[in-house]
Amino acid sequence: MKKQVDIFTSLTRITDLAESPFDIRALPREHWQMGDYVVCDITDAGGNSLLIELPNGRMRGVIGGESIIGALGVRHATLEATGRWEEVGADGKMHVLTGAGLFGKLTSKSVYLPPLMQLQYRGHVFRGGNKLGMEDFVSTVPQQPLNTPVVLFFGTSMSAGKTTSARIVTHLFKSSGHKVVGAKLAGAGRFKDILAMKDVGAEAIFDFVDVGLPSSICPVPVYREKLKQLLSRVASVGADVVVVEVGASPLEPYNGSVAIEMLKPNLRFAVMSASDPYAVRGLMEAYGMKPDLVTGVASNTLAARELVEKLCRVRTVNFIDPSNSPLLRQLLGRATGLSLNPENNANTKRHSTVPD
């Protein structure tokens, strides 16, 4: 007997859909909503390099004709592709907008991006006569304030180096004996970004998928309520520090600016990952926030670092260069009040003032 679905994408990781039965029923287009789980047939596998992210974070190739389950949503990426579930027509033709299983109709893409996977809608996921979406697998937790120091990573665009830098900082805190939570508060639903922090020792990891959003593009009031729930989950861990990534740029429609605003009472250190020196200047002027450090692509060469410091008067540090680790430990320790001595007992938290 043929399986109901061949591929479960990582946007189903909050569900039991891979383990428990469900029905597939076609719904008239007017009854679709953001976050709905839908099953589609892959009619065109797209470029040879395209892979699907599974619920455990592993990547999988596809074969034309396989069936796949994902969630309806919106992507608005500056460097790759844009698309919306609302643009899907009565013919049910749509695309895989991200490897995580974000489904919608492609509206534009970079010429450097291979053709996206094409899908044919088969139906929505049902149980007990009810349509299932991401929110149906999310439980409400008691709200509690976040009182933990936050180290924030935001960027001038996607693919500027935020995740790599956040992973390095998570490791620095963990190797000094501190309990770290990693979180991604805005973006388009890829699991790999927060898994990168888990892989280097984060006690727990969270993102907006955990509160039922396929991407963080949604009305601001909706996002605020979701973020309150997400930050309550972060607070419940009782960590020493939270390393936060805000995907894309705070000027893009992913609600990154709302996330930064809500984090400000706990924000101790802000790092901008930048694609080039001029982007640093542009984001600082447009958004009005000066970071404590700049890193990413704009920190790769002496020429780039000198230009950032000349244009913006902000220190630039290449986080990937291990010779910069002592400086990062010093700066992060001073900002958070946590000792980042790598010889700290892994089971003991010590607070100290790091000398200038």
Side-chain angles (χ1 to χ4, degrees):
M1 179 177 175
K2 188 181 184 296
K3 290 189 300 183
Q4 256 191 318
V5 177
D6 296 304
I7 305 173
F8 290 82
T9 64
S10 69
L11 284 183
T12 68
R13 67 183 187 264
I14 60 174
T15 77
D16 65 351
L17 293 176
E19 296 80 32
S20 301
F22 57 86
D23 300 317
I24 302 171
R25 300 183 192 174
L27 268 183
R29 177 64 185 76
E30 60 267 23
H31 297 301
W32 295 16
Q33 292 178 301
M34 183 185 76
D36 285 352
Y37 283 121
V38 298
V39 175
C40 297
D41 293 317
I42 300 173
T43 57
D44 189 326
N48 293 331
S49 62
L50 297 181
L51 300 171
I52 293 295
E53 187 178 63
L54 303 178
N56 61 8
R58 292 181 61 184
M59 304 302 294
R60 178 199 193 279
V62 303
I63 304 168
E66 289 184 301
S67 57
I68 185 171
I69 182 170
L72 298 175
V74 181
R75 189 184 187 199
H76 206 72
T78 54
L79 301 181
E80 293 187 354
T82 67
R84 308 183 65 88
W85 70 270
E86 297 99 328
E87 297 294 327
V88 179
D91 61 4
K93 297 183 185 299
M94 63 183 94
H95 300 84
V96 178
L97 299 177
T98 73
L102 186 69
F103 295 170
K105 187 77 170 182
L106 179 70
T107 53
S108 71
K109 80 173 187 67
S110 165
V111 296
Y112 302 110
L113 198 68
L116 299 191
M117 293 181 198
Q118 297 179 36
L119 306 175
Q120 178 62 55
Y121 171 75
R122 187 197 297 176
H124 275 62
V125 173
F126 273 76
R127 270 192 193 146
N130 297 313
K131 177 186 71 170
L132 294 181
M134 295 179 68
E135 289 193 348
D136 294 302
F137 295 92
V138 174
S139 58
T140 301
V141 300
Q143 289 199 15
Q144 61 183 99
L146 179 65
N147 298 315
T148 312
V150 169
V151 176
L152 170 70
F153 289 86
F154 68 107
T156 56
S157 71
M158 63 179 296
S159 301
K162 297 181 292 294
T163 300
T164 297
S165 300
R167 176 177 57 83
I168 291 168
V169 166
T170 299
H171 168 71
L172 293 178
F173 280 107
K174 177 65 177 180
S175 65
S176 300
H178 298 296
K179 189 176 180 180
V180 187
V181 168
K184 185 174 182 180
L185 304 186
R190 288 297 300 274
F191 197 22
K192 68 181 180 69
D193 294 345
I194 54 171
L195 276 178
M197 290 187 268
K198 182 71 170 178
D199 290 342
V200 294
E203 181 79 13
I205 52 174
F206 300 95
D207 73 351
F208 46 87
V209 174
D210 294 312
V211 289
L213 292 176
S215 83
S216 59
I217 298 178
C218 63
V220 171
V222 173
Y223 180 73
R224 285 186 182 276
E225 290 306 310
K226 293 291 188 180
L227 189 54
K228 288 177 185 176
Q229 276 289 298
L230 186 52
L231 294 180
S232 293
R233 292 171 185 241
V234 171
S236 69
V237 178
D240 301 318
V241 64
V242 185
V243 177
V244 170
E245 178 185 341
V246 169
S249 153
L251 298 177
E252 295 174 47
Y254 287 94
N255 282 312
S257 60
V258 178
I260 293 173
E261 173 197 333
M262 292 180 68
L263 288 172
K264 278 186 176 177
N266 302 90
L267 185 56
R268 300 293 179 267
F269 201 78
V271 181
M272 181 194 295
S273 292
S275 53
D276 67 78
Y278 300 102
V280 178
R281 178 67 178 266
L283 183 57
M284 283 177 56
E285 290 187 354
Y287 185 55
M289 180 176 174
K290 184 176 182 178
D292 296 290
L293 282 181
V294 168
T295 190
V297 179
S299 69
N300 283 345
T301 69
L302 178 61
R305 293 193 294 272
E306 287 179 345
L307 190 52
V308 169
E309 292 171 12
K310 178 182 177 181
L311 288 173
C312 309
R313 303 198 180 279
V314 178
R315 191 170 195 170
T316 308
V317 176
N318 186 337
F319 282 35
I320 297 175
D321 185 347
S323 68
N324 289 325
S325 293
L327 172 62
L328 291 174
R329 290 181 185 275
Q330 182 188 59
L331 295 174
L332 292 164
R334 182 188 303 144
T336 61
L338 300 171
S339 170
L340 269 76
N341 180 351
E343 296 179 357
N344 283 357
N345 186 310
N347 297 314
T348 304
K349 176 179 68 175
R350 293 211 305 264
H351 296 265
S352 70
T353 301
V354 180
D356 292 335

